[in-house]
Amino acid sequence: LADLARLGLPVPEAFAVTMGAFSEFCRANGIRLSEGPPERVAERIRAGTFPAALRDELRERLAALPGRTVAVRSSALSEDGAACSMAGQLETFLDVRREDVPEKVRACWAGLFGPAVLAYAAKHGMAAATEMGVIVQRQIHPRYAGVLFTLDPVTGSADHFVIEWVEGLGDALVSGIVTPERIRVSRRSPVIPAGPAPDLAGVLAQLAAHAALVERQVGCPVDIEWCVEGTTLFLLQARPVTAAMARDAVVWTSTNMSENFPKPLT
Protein backbone atom coordinates (compact mmCIF):
# COMPACT_ATOMS: atom_id res chain seq x y z
CA LEU A 1 0.00 0.00 0.00
CA ALA A 2 2.85 2.38 0.77
CA ASP A 3 4.38 1.64 -2.64
CA LEU A 4 1.04 2.33 -4.34
CA ALA A 5 0.69 5.62 -2.47
CA ARG A 6 4.23 6.64 -3.46
CA LEU A 7 3.24 6.10 -7.10
CA GLY A 8 0.45 8.62 -6.62
CA LEU A 9 -2.28 5.99 -6.89
CA PRO A 10 -5.54 6.36 -4.92
CA VAL A 11 -5.18 4.47 -1.61
CA PRO A 12 -7.46 5.14 1.41
CA GLU A 13 -5.74 6.86 4.33
CA ALA A 14 -4.08 4.38 6.68
CA PHE A 15 -1.30 3.72 9.16
CA ALA A 16 0.58 0.56 10.11
CA VAL A 17 1.00 -0.96 13.54
CA THR A 18 4.51 -2.26 12.95
CA MET A 19 6.21 -5.56 13.71
CA GLY A 20 8.24 -3.60 16.28
CA ALA A 21 5.02 -2.64 18.05
CA PHE A 22 4.04 -6.31 18.16
CA SER A 23 7.42 -7.19 19.69
CA GLU A 24 7.01 -4.45 22.30
CA PHE A 25 3.50 -5.69 23.12
CA CYS A 26 4.81 -9.24 23.61
CA ARG A 27 7.69 -8.06 25.84
CA ALA A 28 5.33 -6.01 28.00
CA ASN A 29 3.02 -9.00 28.47
CA GLY A 30 5.74 -11.63 28.93
CA ILE A 31 4.67 -13.51 25.79
CA ARG A 32 7.22 -15.77 24.09
CA LEU A 33 5.91 -16.61 20.64
CA SER A 34 7.96 -19.77 20.22
CA GLU A 35 7.04 -21.31 23.58
CA GLY A 36 3.95 -23.28 24.46
CA PRO A 37 1.03 -24.61 22.38
CA PRO A 38 0.00 -22.18 19.60
CA GLU A 39 -3.55 -21.92 20.92
CA ARG A 40 -2.20 -20.85 24.32
CA VAL A 41 0.02 -18.20 22.69
CA ALA A 42 -3.02 -16.90 20.81
CA GLU A 43 -5.06 -16.73 24.03
CA ARG A 44 -2.34 -14.72 25.78
CA ILE A 45 -2.12 -12.27 22.87
CA ARG A 46 -5.87 -11.69 22.86
CA ALA A 47 -5.84 -11.17 26.65
CA GLY A 48 -2.78 -8.87 26.68
CA THR A 49 -2.77 -5.13 27.34
CA PHE A 50 -1.08 -2.42 25.31
CA PRO A 51 1.87 -0.62 26.91
CA ALA A 52 0.88 2.95 27.73
CA ALA A 53 3.09 4.57 25.06
CA LEU A 54 1.82 2.22 22.35
CA ARG A 55 -1.80 2.68 23.45
CA ASP A 56 -1.46 6.47 23.37
CA GLU A 57 0.16 6.52 19.93
CA LEU A 58 -2.52 4.19 18.56
CA ARG A 59 -5.19 6.55 19.89
CA GLU A 60 -3.40 9.55 18.35
CA ARG A 61 -3.07 7.90 14.93
CA LEU A 62 -6.71 6.85 14.99
CA ALA A 63 -7.81 10.42 15.71
CA ALA A 64 -6.07 11.57 12.52
CA LEU A 65 -7.96 9.12 10.27
CA PRO A 66 -11.16 10.47 8.69
CA GLY A 67 -14.45 8.62 8.87
CA ARG A 68 -16.42 7.01 11.67
CA THR A 69 -15.14 3.43 11.33
CA VAL A 70 -11.98 1.72 10.10
CA ALA A 71 -10.77 -1.51 8.56
CA VAL A 72 -8.19 -3.51 10.54
CA ARG A 73 -6.14 -5.77 8.26
CA SER A 74 -3.47 -8.38 8.92
CA SER A 75 -0.17 -7.83 7.12
CA ALA A 76 2.11 -10.71 8.09
CA LEU A 77 5.66 -10.81 6.78
CA SER A 78 4.92 -14.18 5.16
CA GLU A 79 1.87 -12.96 3.20
CA ASP A 80 1.65 -12.32 -0.53
CA GLY A 81 4.91 -13.85 -1.71
CA ALA A 82 5.64 -15.05 -5.22
CA ALA A 83 5.12 -18.73 -4.35
CA CYS A 84 2.27 -18.61 -1.82
CA SER A 85 -0.16 -15.98 -0.61
CA MET A 86 -1.92 -17.09 2.62
CA ALA A 87 -5.01 -15.56 1.01
CA GLY A 88 -7.98 -15.79 3.35
CA GLN A 89 -6.00 -17.41 6.17
CA LEU A 90 -5.42 -14.31 8.30
CA GLU A 91 -7.87 -11.86 9.81
CA THR A 92 -9.48 -8.74 8.32
CA PHE A 93 -12.12 -6.79 10.22
CA LEU A 94 -14.38 -4.24 8.50
CA ASP A 95 -16.45 -1.37 9.92
CA VAL A 96 -14.58 -1.45 13.24
CA ARG A 97 -15.52 1.19 15.81
CA ARG A 98 -12.52 3.19 16.98
CA GLU A 99 -12.83 1.99 20.58
CA ASP A 100 -12.64 -1.63 19.34
CA VAL A 101 -9.42 -1.19 17.33
CA PRO A 102 -7.01 -2.44 20.07
CA GLU A 103 -9.05 -5.65 20.41
CA LYS A 104 -9.03 -6.21 16.65
CA VAL A 105 -5.27 -5.54 16.39
CA ARG A 106 -4.71 -8.22 19.06
CA ALA A 107 -7.02 -10.57 17.14
CA CYS A 108 -4.94 -10.05 13.98
CA TRP A 109 -1.74 -10.85 15.88
CA ALA A 110 -3.34 -13.91 17.49
CA GLY A 111 -4.42 -15.10 14.03
CA LEU A 112 -0.79 -16.03 13.29
CA PHE A 113 -1.27 -19.00 15.60
CA GLY A 114 -4.60 -20.26 14.25
CA PRO A 115 -4.80 -23.89 13.06
CA ALA A 116 -5.57 -22.96 9.43
CA VAL A 117 -2.52 -20.66 9.22
CA LEU A 118 -0.21 -23.25 10.77
CA ALA A 119 -1.54 -25.98 8.46
CA TYR A 120 -1.04 -23.73 5.41
CA ALA A 121 2.54 -22.99 6.45
CA ALA A 122 3.30 -26.68 6.99
CA LYS A 123 1.79 -27.63 3.63
CA HIS A 124 4.05 -25.15 1.83
CA GLY A 125 7.17 -25.99 3.83
CA MET A 126 7.22 -22.60 5.55
CA ALA A 127 8.33 -21.93 9.10
CA ALA A 128 5.52 -20.75 11.37
CA ALA A 129 5.31 -16.96 11.03
CA THR A 130 5.88 -14.82 14.13
CA GLU A 131 6.07 -11.33 12.58
CA MET A 132 3.06 -9.27 11.64
CA GLY A 133 2.19 -5.66 10.95
CA VAL A 134 -1.45 -4.57 11.10
CA ILE A 135 -2.97 -1.99 8.76
CA VAL A 136 -5.58 0.38 10.19
CA GLN A 137 -7.34 2.12 7.32
CA ARG A 138 -10.24 4.45 6.69
CA GLN A 139 -13.31 2.32 6.05
CA ILE A 140 -14.62 2.77 2.52
CA HIS A 141 -18.34 2.20 1.95
CA PRO A 142 -18.29 1.30 -1.74
CA ARG A 143 -20.92 1.10 -4.42
CA TYR A 144 -18.80 -1.60 -6.08
CA ALA A 145 -15.76 -3.64 -5.06
CA GLY A 146 -13.75 -6.14 -7.01
CA VAL A 147 -10.46 -7.53 -8.21
CA LEU A 148 -8.41 -7.13 -11.38
CA PHE A 149 -5.96 -9.74 -12.66
CA THR A 150 -3.34 -8.67 -15.21
CA LEU A 151 -3.08 -12.33 -16.20
CA ASP A 152 -6.07 -14.62 -16.73
CA PRO A 153 -6.04 -16.82 -13.58
CA VAL A 154 -7.74 -19.70 -15.43
CA THR A 155 -5.94 -19.84 -18.78
CA GLY A 156 -2.70 -18.10 -17.84
CA SER A 157 -3.03 -15.81 -20.87
CA ALA A 158 -1.60 -12.31 -20.51
CA ASP A 159 -3.52 -10.96 -23.53
CA HIS A 160 -6.32 -9.57 -21.38
CA PHE A 161 -6.93 -8.10 -17.96
CA VAL A 162 -9.75 -9.88 -16.11
CA ILE A 163 -11.93 -7.61 -13.96
CA GLU A 164 -14.57 -8.90 -11.52
CA TRP A 165 -16.82 -6.96 -9.16
CA VAL A 166 -19.88 -7.06 -6.94
CA GLU A 167 -22.09 -4.40 -5.44
CA GLY A 168 -21.12 -3.29 -1.94
CA LEU A 169 -18.18 -4.60 0.07
CA GLY A 170 -15.75 -7.00 -1.56
CA ASP A 171 -15.91 -9.66 1.16
CA ALA A 172 -18.89 -11.20 -0.66
CA LEU A 173 -16.68 -11.65 -3.73
CA VAL A 174 -13.64 -12.98 -1.87
CA SER A 175 -15.72 -15.48 0.12
CA GLY A 176 -17.57 -16.72 -2.97
CA ILE A 177 -21.01 -15.85 -1.58
CA VAL A 178 -22.11 -14.18 -4.82
CA THR A 179 -21.22 -14.61 -8.48
CA PRO A 180 -19.45 -11.46 -9.66
CA GLU A 181 -19.82 -9.50 -12.85
CA ARG A 182 -16.84 -10.16 -15.10
CA ILE A 183 -15.28 -8.54 -18.16
CA ARG A 184 -12.05 -9.07 -20.08
CA VAL A 185 -10.12 -6.02 -21.29
CA SER A 186 -7.52 -6.25 -24.05
CA ARG A 187 -4.06 -5.36 -22.84
CA ARG A 188 -3.15 -3.85 -26.21
CA SER A 189 -6.26 -1.70 -26.67
CA PRO A 190 -7.90 -1.27 -23.26
CA VAL A 191 -11.39 -0.27 -24.38
CA ILE A 192 -14.02 -1.15 -21.80
CA PRO A 193 -16.71 -3.32 -23.46
CA ALA A 194 -20.37 -2.51 -23.05
CA GLY A 195 -21.41 -4.49 -20.02
CA PRO A 196 -23.68 -4.81 -17.01
CA ALA A 197 -22.52 -1.56 -15.33
CA PRO A 198 -22.25 1.25 -17.90
CA ASP A 199 -21.78 3.78 -15.07
CA LEU A 200 -18.48 2.01 -14.28
CA ALA A 201 -16.93 2.38 -17.74
CA GLY A 202 -14.81 5.40 -16.90
CA VAL A 203 -13.70 3.97 -13.56
CA LEU A 204 -12.73 0.62 -15.13
CA ALA A 205 -10.68 2.38 -17.81
CA GLN A 206 -8.86 4.26 -15.05
CA LEU A 207 -8.40 0.99 -13.15
CA ALA A 208 -6.84 -0.73 -16.19
CA ALA A 209 -4.36 2.14 -16.58
CA HIS A 210 -3.42 1.93 -12.89
CA ALA A 211 -3.02 -1.86 -13.18
CA ALA A 212 -0.59 -1.55 -16.08
CA LEU A 213 1.53 0.87 -14.02
CA VAL A 214 1.49 -1.39 -10.95
CA GLU A 215 2.47 -4.43 -13.01
CA ARG A 216 5.45 -2.55 -14.48
CA GLN A 217 6.57 -1.51 -11.00
CA VAL A 218 6.16 -4.99 -9.48
CA GLY A 219 7.73 -6.69 -12.49
CA CYS A 220 5.25 -9.56 -12.76
CA PRO A 221 1.51 -10.22 -13.17
CA VAL A 222 -0.53 -8.85 -10.26
CA ASP A 223 -3.98 -9.02 -8.82
CA ILE A 224 -5.40 -5.78 -7.47
CA GLU A 225 -8.29 -5.34 -5.05
CA TRP A 226 -10.25 -2.15 -5.74
CA CYS A 227 -13.49 -0.40 -4.89
CA VAL A 228 -15.54 2.62 -5.91
CA GLU A 229 -17.03 5.04 -3.40
CA GLY A 230 -19.37 7.46 -5.15
CA THR A 231 -17.43 8.00 -8.36
CA THR A 232 -13.96 7.71 -6.78
CA LEU A 233 -11.74 4.69 -7.41
CA PHE A 234 -9.55 3.30 -4.60
CA LEU A 235 -6.89 0.58 -4.71
CA LEU A 236 -6.92 -1.63 -1.61
CA GLN A 237 -4.18 -4.17 -2.37
CA ALA A 238 -1.78 -5.33 -5.06
CA ARG A 239 0.19 -8.57 -4.98
CA PRO A 240 1.81 -11.08 -7.34
CA VAL A 241 -0.46 -13.61 -9.02
CA THR A 242 0.88 -16.56 -7.05
CA ALA A 243 -0.14 -19.31 -9.47
CA ALA A 244 1.55 -17.49 -12.34
CA MET A 245 4.84 -17.21 -10.47
CA ALA A 246 4.79 -20.90 -9.53
CA ARG A 247 4.04 -22.11 -13.05
CA ASP A 248 6.90 -23.18 -15.31
CA ALA A 249 7.36 -20.55 -18.03
CA VAL A 250 7.20 -23.04 -20.92
CA VAL A 251 4.94 -22.66 -23.95
CA TRP A 252 4.42 -25.59 -26.33
CA THR A 253 2.93 -25.41 -29.79
CA SER A 254 2.76 -27.69 -32.82
CA THR A 255 2.42 -24.69 -35.15
CA ASN A 256 4.83 -24.50 -38.11
CA MET A 257 6.71 -21.55 -36.64
CA SER A 258 8.69 -20.39 -39.65
CA GLU A 259 5.62 -20.21 -41.92
CA ASN A 260 3.18 -18.69 -39.48
CA PHE A 261 5.58 -16.39 -37.62
CA PRO A 262 8.13 -15.17 -40.18
CA LYS A 263 9.33 -12.32 -37.97
CA PRO A 264 11.28 -12.64 -34.72
CA LEU A 265 9.12 -14.15 -31.97
CA THR A 266 9.58 -13.56 -28.24
Side-chain angles (χ1 to χ4, degrees), residues 24-242:
E24 177 60 29
F25 172 89
C26 290
R27 279 194 298 272
N29 288 275
I31 299 170
R32 297 182 181 272
L33 301 179
S34 58
E35 294 182 5
E39 59 271 18
R40 177 56 181 157
V41 174
E43 287 174 8
R44 295 196 63 194
I45 291 172
R46 282 191 288 266
T49 57
F50 280 82
L54 182 56
R55 181 197 62 221
D56 291 345
E57 185 169 3
L58 182 59
R59 186 179 295 129
E60 179 183 335
R61 299 286 182 178
L62 272 170
L65 279 186
R68 290 168 45 199
T69 59
V70 297
V72 181
R73 307 172 57 187
S74 297
S75 185
L77 192 62
S78 55
E79 278 190 87
D80 300 332
C84 51
S85 71
M86 282 204 175
Q89 304 299 318
L90 295 168
E91 299 287 0
T92 291
F93 300 99
L94 302 178
D95 255 337
V96 177
R97 298 180 304 173
R98 291 166 184 269
E99 59 267 32
D100 295 334
V101 168
E103 174 197 343
K104 299 306 184 185
V105 170
R106 292 194 301 266
C108 286
W109 286 336
L112 280 172
F113 302 91
V117 173
L118 296 176
Y120 185 94
K123 176 182 177 181
H124 291 275
M126 302 161 56
T130 59
E131 295 178 299
M132 176 185 281
V134 178
I135 298 162
V136 181
Q137 190 167 39
R138 174 166 73 92
Q139 178 67 57
I140 301 296
H141 298 280
R143 289 194 302 138
Y144 301 102
V147 62
L148 178 149
F149 298 90
T150 63
L151 174 137
D152 191 312
V154 176
T155 67
S157 169
D159 290 341
H160 291 80
F161 294 165
V162 177
I163 306 176
E164 298 180 343
W165 69 90
V166 296
E167 292 188 9
L169 289 167
D171 53 348
L173 170 60
V174 174
S175 62
I177 295 174
V178 299
T179 300
E181 304 290 352
R182 179 184 294 111
I183 62 170
R184 299 169 79 242
V185 179
S186 171
R187 177 185 290 272
R188 284 180 285 276
S189 55
V191 176
I192 304 302
D199 58 322
L200 271 181
V203 169
L204 296 181
Q206 183 184 13
L207 173 64
H210 290 340
L213 172 60
V214 173
E215 184 183 59
R216 287 196 298 273
Q217 292 293 319
V218 174
C220 66
V222 293
D223 82 64
I224 296 173
E225 293 180 14
W226 57 276
C227 68
V228 179
E229 185 178 55
T231 59
T232 303
L233 171 67
F234 291 101
L235 305 187
L236 304 176
Q237 183 164 278
R239 61 187 175 196
V241 177
T242 306

